[in-house]
Amino acid sequence: MVFKIIPLSSSDFTENSNKLSSEIINENTLKFHEKKASEDTIMHRVGIATADGKIVGFGMGVSGSWDPILLPGHFDISIRVDKNWINQGLGSMLFEKVTRFAKNNGGTVVQCGIRETEQTNIAWLEEKGFTKVFHTFESQLDLSTFNIDHYKSIFEDVEWSGVEFKSFAEYPQDDKWLQRFFDFWWELAMDAPGMEGKTRPDFEVLKNQFQGIDREGFILAIEEDKWIAMSMIINESNEIFYNSLTGVQRGYRGKGIALAVKLKAIGYAKQKGAKLVRTHNDSNNIPMLNINQKLGYEKQTGIYFFEKQI
């Protein structure tokens, strides 16, 4: 059978919508990509179509100001093939297309994440020369049964020691304060497993990435006027919040501050009507995994991250 690779965007979705498989790609996802991208984003999205125009596969490669911790020269790739069209070489066609795009745009590494249960796809990546670089887990907290009052003594102990909590939204949102925030965010982020060798994004890139995000969920732990810990929780939808980072400065660890500031962030999400909080943690981040378990987070299927030099 003859297949054709075609570019995809939300602007041409209407033309192709009757032929697109929503399980492979849909209009909302295409629009999400475009909303997230900035002028500095390098992105290529393609579909693979049958002779009658049905889209049976989707491939994407993206770099630049897309993920604030994406290394220079690294491209995130995604390849999906309709379950009724697997084992026909379509994944390889898409992989070759997005990899060539990455290489032509200065890429030196392609990377992707895949669920640990997808053994067939993992084997396919390894056949393509990918190497497993780290393992992370999603954990979910059901807020319908979560009672923050059970942890009242945690706050009392931490606050008695002179620590208070404040949202970053309470500070001026000019460049001076944003720079201080990004400095602190990067300090905490660099201590997380898997961050070795990451390059700090430029100020303007970070400013663009954080544009439009509700900063009330950026909860800071403060001693006098010094920021010593932070937990960031972001509204993903009306009912789901994402806890993207929780960190404590090295000199303040082991004092219950991480648990307290994380609880404050969860409390904010619950106050806003969230029913579920999601987070991800590297499998080597034992202290944070233990905190999540203590709070009642349920571990979901893990994700392996793979890389390949190109």
Side-chain angles (χ1 to χ4, degrees), residues 204-302:
E204 291 299 327
V205 171
L206 288 172
K207 189 176 178 180
N208 179 71
Q209 289 285 327
F210 282 86
Q211 190 71 33
I213 295 177
D214 175 17
R215 297 170 187 173
E216 283 189 59
F218 298 175
I219 309 300
L220 295 159
I222 307 162
E223 185 180 67
E224 296 180 353
D225 64 346
K226 181 183 179 182
W227 297 353
I228 61 173
M230 177 168 64
S231 190
M232 297 169 61
I233 200 159
I234 297 167
N235 188 349
E236 288 190 316
S237 69
N238 290 337
E239 298 183 348
I240 301 175
F241 276 62
Y242 184 72
N243 191 188
S244 65
L245 171 77
T246 299
V248 180
Q249 282 189 328
R250 294 184 182 185
Y252 291 87
R253 293 174 188 169
K255 300 179 180 181
I257 297 172
L259 177 58
V261 74
K262 192 176 184 79
L263 279 164
K264 285 289 186 181
I266 292 169
Y268 172 75
K270 192 172 176 70
Q271 174 191 332
K272 289 293 184 177
K275 294 183 179 179
L276 184 78
V277 171
R278 303 191 313 117
T279 191
H280 283 90
N281 298 106
D282 189 282
S283 59
N284 294 318
N285 195 350
I286 303 302
M288 193 54 65
L289 289 171
N290 288 339
I291 286 175
N292 289 343
Q293 185 177 25
K294 183 175 182 178
L295 291 173
Y297 277 84
E298 294 186 359
K299 189 184 295 184
Q300 308 299 302
T301 302

Side-chain angles (χ1 to χ4, degrees), residues 101-116:
F101 172 82
K103 198 167 186 176
N104 289 343
N105 285 273
T108 56
V109 173
V110 287
Q111 62 184 53
C112 64
I114 190 164
R115 292 184 180 275
E116 62 186 7

Side-chain angles (χ1 to χ4, degrees), residues 94-136:
L94 291 165
F95 173 69
E96 193 276 334
K97 185 73 173 178
V98 297
T99 301
R100 187 189 314 132
F101 172 82
K103 198 167 186 176
N104 289 343
N105 285 273
T108 56
V109 173
V110 287
Q111 62 184 53
C112 64
I114 190 164
R115 292 184 180 275
E116 62 186 7
T117 53
E118 298 179 21
Q119 293 301 317
T120 300
N121 291 332
I122 289 172
W124 185 85
L125 286 172
E126 291 174 340
E127 288 175 4
K128 294 291 181 186
F130 280 80
T131 301
K132 191 185 299 179
V133 289
F134 66 94
H135 188 201
T136 187

Side-chain angles (χ1 to χ4, degrees), residues 156-167:
E156 291 175 347
D157 290 345
V158 171
E159 289 173 343
W160 181 84
S161 69
V163 175
E164 60 178 339
F165 301 95
K166 192 173 182 179
S167 167

Side-chain angles (χ1 to χ4, degrees), residues 141 143 145-155 259-271 295:
L141 180 65
L143 294 186
T145 58
F146 183 79
N147 187 350
I148 199 167
D149 291 336
H150 290 166
Y151 302 93
K152 186 178 179 181
S153 63
I154 300 291
F155 298 122
L259 177 58
V261 74
K262 192 176 184 79
L263 279 164
K264 285 289 186 181
I266 292 169
Y268 172 75
K270 192 172 176 70
Q271 174 191 332
L295 291 173

